[in-house]
Amino acid sequence: MSTIHQTVVIAVSPAKFILFGEHAVVYGEPAIAVAIDLPLRIIATEAKAFTVDGQALNERSHAYIKRAIDNYWEGGPVAIEIRSDVPRASGLGSSAAVTVATLAALRGLAGEDKIEEEALAKSAFEVEFSVQGRASPTDTSTCTHGNVVMLARKAGENLLWHVQKEDNSWYIHHLDIPDATFVLGNTRQRGRTWEMVAKVRRYYDKSGHARETIREIGDMTLEANKALGKGDLVAIGELMTKNHMRLSSLGVSNKMLEKLVKAVSSHSYGAKLTGAGGGGCMVALTDRPERTAKAIENAGGTPMIVKPSKQGVRIVKK
Ligand code: MEV
């Protein structure tokens, strides 16, 4: 009896939240994002047809995976399975994690043992950009590298790579931050990134106030970087709350996000919505995680206590 050998590769990506600078980063302003240990696994197997979770691969249901395969895969058909702890459309980077883990798994199938982070992050950004029509490399770089990542206009210490797209230039750095506990609050309302990014774009194009707000968010992120360097949790928290107010004035908050941010105000250093907004999650910085989580729950959200994850994308089985 002959045995058929199928090659199977499993790649796992962390999720992420944005600590400072979402939306503004799309216009080249700085941002700081944190990888978290919510795993998204892609299981890729050589197969007779391209499928995702048993369904024929198609643009409508699997835009990111299809684009990754179309642009970066030269081999035969692959069956992809997604096993994810990352809630979708919640601001925690599920599309970036799918893209990054898919590309890593494909590279594994092609015989690569070690992930080359820079090349992978750049390909993942191109996939996200082409699916969403507009994006920054924040989510894809954070899921690739893990840890904490800072995007800046200029190269500085601990530079990882540089991404140029149209008029924008982002220098992506590894950032060390003080030991801190964050609590996420999920509104369980879906926020669609491309819709929120397009909404801010329309406002930016017609309003000087919106353009000024984007610049102010950029300045806050630079200040936050200094506060992180000093381990000044009080200053970081205050800047988070200020950043939230600017995001609200851009029109990307909603009632539930406001409710959750308000609910944690007396238990945390500061809080803000995180990611594209319009639903999704908020994040609080606190040294009383249990009480903060309870306050989120009492206000109708789903809390999750998280710590930054050291691990970026990796191949766990080949
Ligand atoms: C989404 O997680 C973050 C945004 O800034 C979009 C992006 O950076 O691509 C809203």
Side-chain angles (χ1 to χ4, degrees), residues 16-18 21-27 31 91-93 96 125 128-129 132 134-140 151 170 193-194 196-197 200 247 252 274-277:
K16 70 94 200 32
F17 70 85
I18 298 185
E22 53 273 88
H23 286 291
V25 69
V26 175
Y27 302 84
L92 300 182
F125 167 63
E128 242 199 6
F129 193 95
Q132 293 177 7
R134 189 173 293 281
S136 80
T138 312
D139 296 8
T140 39
L151 284 80
W170 297 274
T193 301
W194 67 268
M196 290 296 124
V197 170
V200 173
L247 287 165
V252 297
T274 184

